[in-house]
Amino acid sequence: MAATPAPPQAPPKPTWDPRDPVRPLLRPTIRIRLTLLYGGMFLIAGILLLSIIYLFTAQALGDSASELPFKVVKGEVQPTTSWCQLPASGTGDQLNEAVSACLQHQRDLALDDLLRRSLFALLGLSIIAFAFGYAMAGRVLSPLGRITRTARQVAGSDLARRIELDGPDDELKELADTFDEMLERLERAFTAQQRFVANASHELRTPLAINRTLLEVHLSDPGAPVELQQLGKTLLATNERSEQLVEGLLLLARSDNQIVERKPVDLAEVASRAVDQVHAEAASKGVEIRSECGPAVVQGNGVLLERIALNLVQNAVRYNVTGGGWVEVTTETEHGQALLVVSNTGPVVPAYEIDNLFEPFRRLRQERTGSDKGVGLGLSIARSVARAHGGRIIAEPREGGGLVMRVTLPI
């Protein structure tokens, strides 16, 4: 039986390894291409300029030879131009000097005309050379523009974008290929992280839901002892806080991505719904909520945008003074952007600790660690959602205590 031929192998990728100290001599690098391009342009421009000057010189010499400033008529030399002055009588030396002066003046006129035409030719060639050089430079540097545009798109959390640059195997293609490989590794790591958080959160939901159901069943028993009911309420509150933590982690994992499907959402309606949901909690703490919501329509996800407003208003109520405090919520458009501002009274917040508020599970001071005030993910989720919508959130300490939260979103 004849041996089965081995399958053909794919040719190796013709990419020079930057770590290899031996560079191929005939490799079409961008330096060689630019050298050949601009050297060739300089050579062509020089040849054209020399050709034009040669033609102008030949024309000037031909005109000078055909149009002498004097002529011989019946053995006498007579001038043909007004600037050629020949003596009517005199010796031969005087006549020769006058003829030489006329010829010298004619050469000066020819040189002046040649210089003027050469300057015009140089000006025209310079304009053509600059225009051609600009076009060729744009063509050579177009891969860099493609890399830059892809990097900007990736900066918007679109890690699925790739450059996929075609062309000669030079430094620019190596840069693009390296950038694509880096993006691929980043996408795998980012996707794995999101998948892990989502799966962990999903797996934790089921036992927490079972625990909540069992606790509620035991608490519904009227014959249960008081100590058991108190313990059940404590465990139920702890279980609820764990559920909030899981939901927050799941939402945080989802909101880190760029929003693909966008719909018109009015921040005024979003803020009003958030105020309505927190109104009862604010009334129990004696905190007054004031709202002045003007129309501010943005393109985004209504559920996630409502989460921003709800988290900010909830934090403003929970970390407020007990009795006599207030929360102010406003929405408006400013400089082509939608603005959501939540201001509140409360404890004095140092400016150098503002950044810590947006870190997951980080709180400002000990008085902000109560279990009834959340799980420490509210502002982190708000910042992630704002970034996913192409906006940002800024916190500023308010004079007299409290914070001013400003959410800016593109319209």
Side-chain angles (χ1 to χ4, degrees), residues 30-50:
I30 188 64
R31 177 180 295 181
I32 295 177
R33 292 167 58 194
L34 289 176
T35 301
L36 295 177
L37 174 62
Y38 290 110
M41 290 174 56
F42 179 79
L43 180 62
I44 293 175
I47 293 175
L48 289 177
L49 184 60
L50 288 177

Side-chain angles (χ1 to χ4, degrees), residues 68-70 79-86 102 105 109:
L68 292 175
F70 55 85
T80 57
T81 59
S82 60
W83 46 264
C84 184
Q85 302 295 330
L86 297 177
C102 290
H105 186 72
L109 292 178

